Amino acid sequence: VVVEDQPDVSAVLSAYNQQGDPALYEEYYSGLKHFIECSLDCHRAELSQLFYPLFVHMYLELVYNQHESEAKSFFERFHGDQECYYQDDLRVLSSLTKKEHMKGNETMLDFRTSKFVLRISRDSYQLLKRHLQEKQNNQIWNIVQEHLYIDIFDGMPRSKQQIDAMVGSLAGEAKREANKAKVFFGLLKEPEFDVPLDDEDEEGENEEGKPKKKKPKKDSVGSKSKKQDPNAPPQNRIPLPELKDSDKLDKVMNMKEAARRVRLGPECLPSICFYTFLNAYQGLTAVDITDDSSMIVGGFADSTVRVWSVTPKKLRSVKTAADLSLIDKESDDVLERIMDEKTASELKILYGHSGPVYGTSFSPDRNYLLSCSEDGTVRLWSLQTFTCLVGYKGHNYPVWDTQFSPYGYYFVSGGHDRVARLWATDHYQPLRIFAGHLADVTCTRFHPNSNYIATGSADRTIRLWDVLNGNCVRIFTGHKGPIHSLAFSPNGRFLATGATDGRVLLWDIGHGLMVGELKGHTDTIYALRFSRDGEILASGSMDNTVRLWDAVKAFEDLETDDFTTATGHINLPENSQDLLLGTYMTKSTPVVHLHFTRRNLLLAAGAYSSQ
């Protein structure tokens, strides 16, 4: 079966035709290895980056030209020299032993079509070039020119630590150009409206008898969004939905809650409330919690979506059309009257998907719910009627994650077809397709200003996309395994990412730099969330723990001068232990989701596993 959307396979592979003498491959490779290992320490770390891409290309060249025994011996002799974080790739590679195997293997084809990027200082590069040209080692030189992209920078060579921090993705590091574009990471200005006062507020705090409290209260909440943030995108850069009256009421509620918010910090850690799904033999695969923490949804492997109310208020559906026509539309409590008390229950089950549900997301106004599934669809459900409104079909393969924009209306999905798609609830077709990842898009998140989307992938990179034009504006490399969680800081400046390698990496979006690494988890990190004011980062993992990190300290006095940005000489402080504020174990429950309430109580969720 010819897969249409692949680049023409034979054309891609034919690049392997200009082959050298198969018997000499081991000699070429060990010659280079000897040269690099004997070079000066300052160059050795940089040049060692060549081992892996050359190893892969030389092996594939041997396989493609049907020198199977030479390929096998080449693999056995040198695969042990590769960095430990390439183990999974090498496992795939070792199973490709015949030319026919190469045709259907997508990872393989990607490796072929995209150039592997290495960042090397000019001195190290000159040294390599001289060596290969003196030795007339054309085979290796051809591969370097054909399949590698060497991003040369002027200045000191990088140390082993600096290189190790940044490498490990399927296609090497990001080119420096990839992170140069301007990103508007600031927040949009909040619309202004007065906060009406509760009676209780007035009694308690208005001793002077002057009803002047309204002004300062609004200031305390709205002051930071009054001035236009210099790094914010223009308000109308992308069209956002108008605020409805109900949204304004919700914003007012939000401000009142915010006034009672606990200021977190190293001395004041949040309480954590853990929702454990017991007897979830259906297999819990996704969780989301509404912004106001009133509802929780679970996506399950038995293809159901289950919505619970976590407040005493039960979930109710709207009455039938016949009953609705009897209601007096002018009455004050019309919104109450349209709900059917007979349908009140704590749990609603939504049927419709035909495969495990991998992602769920509530709309900010709590009227809708998204779910995405292995069946290749994203479904939009009404939380008024608890029925499915639309099925969005665009991905032909499993959809791993979906999320509503913080402003509603738009949502993003990412899946096995290696692209993320941007949708609007009222369009059947996606508005944007974000293509560029070399493997599954495993998680998707909107930036707080809704102008950008971050995607994490099994190719071990994170990309930031511009919603306006679909361009990729940042590529972050450094994780050594597929990415499973993303979180933007509330001020929009930073991104935290978690992966199967158990590390949380911190990124400065404006400068396009890695600025921190939090080590501590021993398994995949499935959940990351910043507290409401960004003081604390919470991470939840398959290792059955929730960890709290000091985000203020992690991001203070960063070295983001132009030199660092230009060369990628990042110096990550080894300070995970100083930043770790607490580790909280569950008995046997992997943490799938984290959520800070509007008052900074941390909610966590996961399904108890008995093994």
Side-chain angles (χ1 to χ4, degrees):
V1 183
V2 178
V3 187
E4 269 76 36
D5 61 357
Q6 286 299 339
D8 179 11
V9 176
S10 49
V12 169
L13 294 176
S14 65
Y16 280 146
N17 276 337
Q18 353 101 351
Q19 50 164 347
D21 175 351
L24 294 177
Y25 272 46
E26 291 192 26
E27 204 174 301
Y28 292 147
Y29 190 85
S30 53
L32 179 72
K33 189 177 149 189
H34 178 74
F35 160 70
I36 291 177
E37 285 172 352
C38 297
S39 60
L40 290 172
D41 287 4
C42 62
H43 302 298
R44 189 188 313 141
E46 287 201 320
L47 293 175
S48 303
Q49 297 178 76
L50 283 159
F51 286 147
Y52 174 69
L54 283 175
F55 171 79
V56 177
H57 283 297
M58 290 172 84
Y59 174 74
L60 292 175
E61 219 160 84
L62 288 170
V63 171
Y64 181 78
N65 293 307
Q66 298 177 331
H67 304 300
E68 288 171 24
S69 58
E70 285 92 340
K72 190 166 189 291
S73 124
F74 180 79
F75 189 89
E76 280 172 2
R77 182 165 166 196
F78 298 116
H79 78 98
D81 300 345
Q82 310 306 323
E83 295 283 358
C84 55
Y85 36 81
Y86 292 121
Q87 289 302 308
D88 293 349
D89 297 358
L90 292 175
R91 204 168 297 124
V92 172
L93 204 59
S94 64
S95 63
L96 297 174
T97 51
K98 291 188 162 30
K99 186 173 175 177
E100 297 71 59
H101 297 171
M102 291 169 73
K103 296 251 160 85
N105 191 306
E106 292 175 354
T107 317
M108 201 341 274
L109 279 171
D110 277 328
F111 203 89
R112 294 286 319 103
T113 41
S114 59
K115 290 194 161 193
F116 193 93
V117 181
L118 308 162
R119 209 178 282 177
I120 292 183
S121 66
R122 193 171 297 283
D123 299 348
S124 304
Y125 178 69
Q126 295 298 3
L127 198 68
L128 172 76
K129 192 170 166 185
R130 215 167 36 241
H131 167 76
L132 291 176
Q133 286 170 347
E134 274 169 16
K135 280 268 182 285
Q136 276 153 5
N137 196 332
N138 295 339
Q139 206 47 39
I140 288 192
W141 187 236
N142 288 345
I143 294 182
V144 169
Q145 293 190 301
E146 182 95 16
H147 303 303
L148 309 189
Y149 176 96
I150 298 193
D151 192 2
I152 301 170
F153 63 86
D154 290 305
M156 289 270 300
R158 293 185 299 169
S159 68
K160 178 101 176 87
Q161 285 79 7
Q162 288 174 325
I163 294 168
D164 276 349
M166 300 293 284
V167 296
S169 93
L170 262 182
E173 289 188 62
K175 300 180 186 171
R176 282 171 303 156
E177 278 63 68
N179 293 332
K180 286 278 194 288
K182 180 164 175 49
V183 171
F184 298 105
F185 54 81
L187 304 184
L188 295 175
K189 223 164 82 204
E190 289 287 332
E192 291 180 15
F193 40 79
D194 283 346
V195 181
L197 290 168
D198 288 358
D199 306 341
E200 60 198 87
D201 284 355
E202 250 155 44
E203 287 161 23
E205 298 168 59
N206 201 355
E207 293 90 78
E208 307 102 89
K210 306 187 192 102
K212 251 173 48 187
K213 194 178 152 284
K214 189 188 286 188
K215 198 85 189 103
K217 165 130 189 210
K218 196 181 119 209
D219 274 359
S220 67
V221 185
S223 59
K224 60 170 177 281
S225 49
K226 274 240 187 50
K227 301 192 293 290
Q228 178 71 31
D229 181 332
N231 296 304
Q235 286 293 91
N236 54 0
R237 188 169 180 266
I238 57 167
L240 293 170
E242 290 287 304
L243 278 186
K244 303 190 293 292
D245 286 350
S246 56
D247 297 333
K248 289 184 180 158
L249 278 172
D250 195 53
K251 283 224 177 301
V252 170
M253 278 302 298
N254 197 348
M255 286 177 176
K256 287 185 179 154
E257 292 277 283
R260 306 197 176 124
R261 185 179 297 160
V262 181
R263 285 307 303 262
L264 300 178
E267 304 306 314
C268 178
L269 297 181
S271 302
I272 307 177
C273 169
F274 203 105
Y275 289 98
T276 306
F277 290 75
L278 293 170
N279 308 321
Y281 53 85
Q282 301 84 355
L284 178 73
T285 40
V287 176
D288 193 31
I289 298 176
T290 54
D291 184 67
D292 70 345
S293 315
S294 61
M295 287 183 275
I296 187 169
V297 59
F300 291 86
D302 69 352
S303 77
T304 58
V305 175
R306 293 159 193 254
V307 184
W308 284 267
S309 167
V310 288
T311 61
K313 213 170 136 194
K314 295 224 168 33
L315 302 173
R316 299 168 304 175
S317 308
V318 171
K319 290 177 176 166
T320 59
D323 292 346
L324 286 175
S325 58
L326 307 174
I327 293 175
D328 170 16
K329 296 186 180 47
E330 298 308 310
S331 69
D332 290 346
D333 59 347
V334 64
L335 290 176
E336 208 28 57
R337 291 188 188 190
I338 59 175
M339 302 316 266
D340 186 355
E341 273 306 320
K342 294 198 286 292
T343 61
S345 65
E346 273 177 13
L347 161 68
K348 299 277 186 218
I349 303 183
L350 308 176
Y351 297 102
H353 282 296
S354 57
V357 177
Y358 290 121
T360 51
S361 175
F362 284 108
S363 66
D365 62 7
R366 298 185 296 289
N367 286 330
Y368 304 103
L369 168 67
L370 284 169
S371 61
C372 65
S373 159
E374 187 267 338
D375 63 19
T377 64
V378 180
R379 283 177 182 266
L380 180 73
W381 309 83
S382 162
L383 296 176
Q384 303 294 339
T385 56
F386 295 96
T387 54
C388 183
L389 303 175
V390 200
Y392 300 93
K393 299 177 174 66
H395 295 271
N396 295 328
Y397 296 99
V399 187
W400 300 125
D401 198 11
T402 184
Q403 197 210 12
F404 256 115
S405 150
Y407 293 89
Y409 184 62
Y410 299 108
F411 63 94
V412 58
S413 62
H416 175 64
D417 55 11
R418 303 189 273 178
V419 297
R421 289 175 165 79
L422 174 79
W423 311 75
T425 46
D426 56 3
H427 286 19
Y428 273 107
Q429 296 292 335
L431 307 182
R432 294 282 181 275
I433 292 181
F434 305 113
H437 279 297
L438 304 182
D440 300 43
V441 175
T442 42
C443 49
T444 52
R445 278 291 168 275
F446 268 93
H447 186 278
N449 68 24
S450 203
N451 278 249
Y452 298 93
I453 284 168
T455 54
S457 161
D459 67 11
R460 312 190 280 278
T461 67
I462 298 103
R463 285 172 179 252
L464 190 70
W465 309 86
D466 189 336
V467 167
L468 183 65
N469 49 30
N471 292 345
C472 174
V473 289
R474 292 287 180 269
I475 303 176
F476 294 139
T477 64
H479 276 297
K480 312 294 184 256
I483 319 296
H484 279 289
S485 51
L486 300 166
F488 283 99
S489 63
N491 62 14
R493 291 181 50 191
F494 303 105
L495 175 66
T497 58
T500 56
D501 57 10
R503 293 150 73 230
V504 177
L505 296 181
L506 306 173
W507 311 89
D508 177 321
I509 296 167
H511 293 93
L513 279 180
M514 185 194 300
V515 291
E517 170 183 37
L518 306 175
K519 296 183 192 155
H521 283 294
T522 55
D523 206 336
T524 304
I525 295 163
Y526 274 130
L528 282 171
R529 195 56 80 92
F530 282 93
S531 62
R532 292 287 174 144
D533 299 319
E535 312 95 333
I536 282 189
L537 171 64
S539 57
S541 158
M542 280 290 285
D543 64 12
N544 303 345
T545 65
V546 173
R547 287 170 192 262
L548 300 178
W549 310 88
D550 186 341
V552 176
K553 198 160 162 193
F555 294 129
E556 67 189 7
D557 46 74
L558 294 175
E559 286 183 44
T560 43
D561 51 26
D562 298 337
F563 171 71
T564 319
T565 321
T567 57
H569 276 66
I570 47 158
N571 293 307
L572 292 183
E574 279 287 330
N575 59 350
S576 295
Q577 287 321 301
D578 311 344
L579 297 176
L580 181 62
L581 300 176
T583 302
Y584 305 90
M585 299 281 297
T586 62
K587 269 198 184 127
S588 181
T589 303
V591 186
V592 182
H593 187 77
L594 293 168
H595 172 82
F596 277 94
T597 67
R598 291 170 174 178
R599 297 190 188 183
N600 268 339
L601 169 69
L602 177 55
L603 309 181
Y608 176 79
S609 68
S610 46
Q611 67 273 21

